[in-house]
Amino acid sequence: MKRYKHNSESHVTFSELMLPSHSNFGGKIHGGYILNLMDQIAFACASKHSGHYCVTASIGSVDFLNPIEIGELVTMKASINYVGRSSMVVGIRVDSENIQTGEVKHCNSSFFTMVAKSKDGSVSKDVPGLIMKTNTDVRRFLESTIRNEQRKSYHTTFDKETFDHAKHLDKLDGQNVEIQL
């Protein structure tokens, strides 16, 4: 019998104070450090939902909306937005808070596709289905399916074996490029 879980059963939230050791040369928190934390919370959320070891299969776009300053408290929230047979899409939101003023900034959001694996990592494992209780649950699930379809379409359109640049020259009009084929 297939098991189902609501995404609230897998929610993960954590906060961390940003230290000078996390900063880049510009004095802001290094984006790579934030991505590392996002990967960790995606793993925790997916593992909690699936009950298995999970690996990162892909990361959706990550737009750094606001810089994170040294001394701010970063809070990440992760939840399961979509499940397939062995894959899950984990939605992650990153906020930072100036703990002196209380100002909270949305810094970025992203979607990590995680795959449940056996302990040795050799076999994909089935994951529980998703119980959707709210309009938001359904919207997030459908948005994930649309992103997946768009990704597949992109890979089909720009397949390296069949790609013909002449079919796409109109997309290059007005771009800062010169074609010398």
Side-chain angles (χ1 to χ4, degrees):
M1 180 175 194
K2 184 159 175 113
R3 183 163 155 21
Y4 291 84
K5 293 171 88 173
H6 185 261
N7 66 17
S8 63
E9 296 176 70
S10 307
H11 279 182
V12 177
T13 300
F14 75 76
S15 297
E16 182 175 327
L17 184 65
M18 294 296 104
L19 304 174
S21 61
H22 304 139
S23 67
N24 60 24
F25 293 115
K28 308 297 183 194
I29 300 305
H30 195 286
Y33 183 72
I34 297 301
L35 285 171
N36 180 29
L37 293 177
M38 292 172 77
D39 191 50
Q40 290 177 43
I41 196 170
F43 169 83
C45 182
S47 295
K48 194 172 176 183
H49 181 81
S50 68
H52 296 287
Y53 171 72
C54 293
V55 296
T56 305
S58 69
I59 301 172
S61 65
V62 181
D63 297 320
F64 293 94
L65 305 172
N66 288 296
I68 300 171
E69 306 291 336
I70 295 168
E72 289 185 334
L73 184 66
V74 167
T75 299
M76 296 189 180
K77 297 177 182 178
S79 65
I80 301 293
N81 289 358
Y82 168 89
V83 296
R85 187 188 62 76
S86 62
S87 66
M88 298 151 281
V89 173
V90 178
I92 302 170
R93 180 181 172 101
V94 179
D95 292 320
S96 69
E97 179 182 1
N98 180 314
I99 55 179
Q100 294 172 336
T101 67
E103 178 192 2
V104 176
K105 301 179 290 189
H106 177 209
C107 297
N108 64 42
S109 295
S110 189
F111 304 96
F112 281 54
T113 300
M114 308 297 287
V115 177
K117 295 290 208 171
S118 58
K119 287 185 181 182
D120 67 0
S122 63
V123 179
S124 294
K125 303 295 278 183
D126 289 349
V127 300
L130 192 60
I131 297 170
M132 295 184 278
K133 293 182 178 179
T134 68
N135 200 42
T136 298
D137 292 342
V138 175
R139 178 182 53 80
R140 288 177 176 169
F141 187 93
L142 292 173
E143 287 173 344
S144 292
T145 62
I146 290 169
R147 277 191 303 276
N148 191 37
E149 290 168 7
Q150 289 171 336
R151 184 184 53 79
K152 287 178 183 176
S153 172
Y154 171 83
H155 289 298
T156 303
T157 302
F158 295 104
D159 177 68
K160 67 181 178 182
E161 304 299 325
T162 61
F163 181 75
D164 179 4
H165 76 279
K167 294 179 182 178
H168 302 281
L169 290 176
D170 60 315
K171 294 175 183 75
L172 298 174
D173 287 342
Q175 300 296 323
N176 189 19
V177 297
E178 180 179 317
I179 300 173
Q180 297 182 349
L181 298 177

